[in-house]
Amino acid sequence: MQERQSVVGTVAVVHFFSERTDGVSLQIQENDRVLRELGWRVIECSADAIGENGFAMSELDYTVPRVWALKVREQESARDERGIEEEFAAQVQSIKDRLGELVHLYHPQVIHVRNVLSLPIHPAATVAMAEFIAEHPAVGFVAQHHDFAYEDDFLPGDRKKGYTIPHPAIQERVEKALLYNAPNVRHAVINSLLQKRLAAEYGISAAIIPDSFDFETRPVEIPALREKIGVRENDIVIGMMTRIIPRKAI
């Protein structure tokens, strides 16, 4: 039996969710398994993190009303812009405080941030992470970008428009935080197309960490599956488990 390697360090992985079946969550689970086999202590930090090495942060949940309320402008809103900005600032500070607790408890050498700095689906989290990086120069950060707000889905500018915040002061803070770069940050993307675009348009040199798959995984057997979906005995079926959209280069 192979002797287990000693711990070589602690890495905290930060994402909005880590226990779901979306692509990023699955990559977190797969990469964390590999890191643990290499001797790293891995702490999963997300809204739904569980287990002994999980650090749950409900503040990272972008589906809650307090986050969505900042991304829409109500016609007859009783709140003025100052009140909205104060609510946003409170969310940012709350996330920074919890990240501070994470560092205090586990002392990670590296914090692996996924999508938070490239996809402002949770505007306060994007701003909080950029400020936290600036305030903690002794900690190393890997900012891995799976998706970008500037990527188009089907029409030019459709995704960017979808992530635009209707509050100018907040939008300005988010734009400054996106793709935040500093000496203690190393950027990573999932393919060479994104790598070239970051270099050409943003002057950012990024490594490539491609999505992976554990080929030892065995699917659940479903009785009479071929008959159920109309696949004949000699038919060959190819499954593409992703969205078929131009920005995925498929």
Side-chain angles (χ1 to χ4, degrees), residues 217-236:
T217 300
R218 289 292 175 263
V220 176
E221 292 190 8
I222 303 175
L225 177 61
R226 283 179 174 270
E227 292 80 359
K228 289 179 180 178
I229 62 176
V231 178
R232 295 170 299 183
E233 183 178 356
N234 295 322
D235 287 345
I236 297 175

Side-chain angles (χ1 to χ4, degrees), residues 13-238:
V13 181
V14 181
H15 184 51
F16 307 111
F17 298 98
S18 58
E19 299 299 320
R20 296 185 171 186
T21 55
D22 61 280
V24 180
S25 293
L26 293 175
Q27 284 301 298
I28 288 174
Q29 296 163 27
E30 171 63 14
N31 292 171
D32 289 358
R33 179 185 66 80
V34 173
L35 286 171
R36 291 189 179 104
E37 290 177 353
L38 292 173
W40 284 84
R41 183 189 187 194
V42 182
I43 307 299
E44 289 186 2
C45 177
S46 66
D48 60 350
I50 57 175
E52 180 182 356
N53 293 315
F55 185 82
M57 276 184 61
S58 61
E59 296 86 352
L60 292 177
D61 186 347
Y62 57 77
T63 67
V64 297
R66 68 175 181 275
V67 174
W68 279 103
L70 297 173
K71 298 194 282 187
V72 298
R73 181 183 291 277
E74 299 176 6
Q75 294 294 332
E76 302 295 334
S77 176
R79 299 187 302 168
D80 59 14
E81 281 296 313
R82 178 173 295 181
I84 294 172
E85 291 168 19
E86 289 176 352
E87 165 62 22
F88 180 75
Q91 289 186 26
V92 170
Q93 189 59 52
S94 178
I95 294 171
K96 288 170 61 178
D97 289 344
R98 289 288 282 148
L99 289 172
E101 292 178 33
L102 173 71
V103 171
H104 178 73
L105 282 173
Y106 299 104
H107 306 286
Q109 287 78 31
V110 180
I111 296 181
H112 189 167
V113 184
R114 291 179 180 264
N115 259 9
V116 179
L117 289 175
S118 59
L119 195 68
I121 194 170
H122 190 330
T126 299
V127 172
M129 184 58 68
E131 293 184 0
F132 191 79
I133 291 172
E135 295 166 5
H136 293 79
V139 179
F141 291 83
V142 175
Q144 185 169 355
H145 315 303
H146 298 259
D147 302 278
F148 294 84
Y150 64 67
E151 293 179 285
D152 297 330
D153 278 333
F154 295 102
L155 299 173
D158 58 355
R159 211 160 190 244
K160 186 175 182 180
K161 182 179 179 180
Y163 284 104
T164 299
I165 301 165
H167 304 288
I170 296 177
Q171 177 68 19
E172 183 179 358
R173 291 185 68 180
V174 172
E175 288 179 355
K176 289 181 179 179
L178 284 171
L179 296 177
Y180 183 77
N181 206 10
N184 58 328
V185 178
R186 295 294 180 268
H187 293 270
V189 292
I190 61 175
N191 59 50
S192 60
L193 296 177
L194 297 175
Q195 182 189 50
K196 292 175 182 177
R197 185 162 183 177
L198 275 190
E201 298 185 17
Y202 298 91
I204 292 176
S205 176
I208 297 176
I209 304 179
D211 286 349
S212 60
F213 181 77
D214 182 4
F215 286 93
E216 297 301 318
T217 300
R218 289 292 175 263
V220 176
E221 292 190 8
I222 303 175
L225 177 61
R226 283 179 174 270
E227 292 80 359
K228 289 179 180 178
I229 62 176
V231 178
R232 295 170 299 183
E233 183 178 356
N234 295 322
D235 287 345
I236 297 175
V237 179
I238 299 175

